[in-house]
Amino acid sequence: MSAQVIGTVTSGSGKRYEVKWDPASRDVYVSYAGWAHCGKADSAGDAMRRAEAWLYAK
C-alpha cells in the first residue's frame, strides 16, 4: 500500500498543506517543497499531529 492523502494542516504562516501517510511503512509526508518526509507515525491522527508540528516553524 502506498501513502495516501489523509488531510491538510496549516503552517505557522497560515498556508495549508496536504499530508500523506503510509500505514505500512508509517512514513509521513507533507506537500512542502514537493513531498517532504517529516517522520513516522503510528496512526493517521498521529501523522496529522506530527505534520502540524513539523510545519509550525515553516
Side-chain angles (χ1 to χ4, degrees):
M1 179 182 253
S2 63
Q4 301 173 10
V5 174
I6 58 170
T8 59
V9 292
T10 305
S11 70
S13 65
K15 294 181 182 177
R16 297 188 61 77
Y17 296 93
E18 289 185 310
V19 177
K20 281 186 180 180
W21 178 57
D22 184 346
S25 67
R26 299 175 30 232
D27 288 321
V28 182
Y29 302 93
V30 178
S31 61
Y32 181 85
W35 284 101
H37 183 262
C38 62
K40 293 192 178 275
D42 295 321
S43 68
D46 187 30
M48 294 296 287
R49 285 188 295 276
R50 287 178 186 272
E52 187 173 32
W54 187 85
L55 273 172
Y56 185 76
K58 304 293 184 207

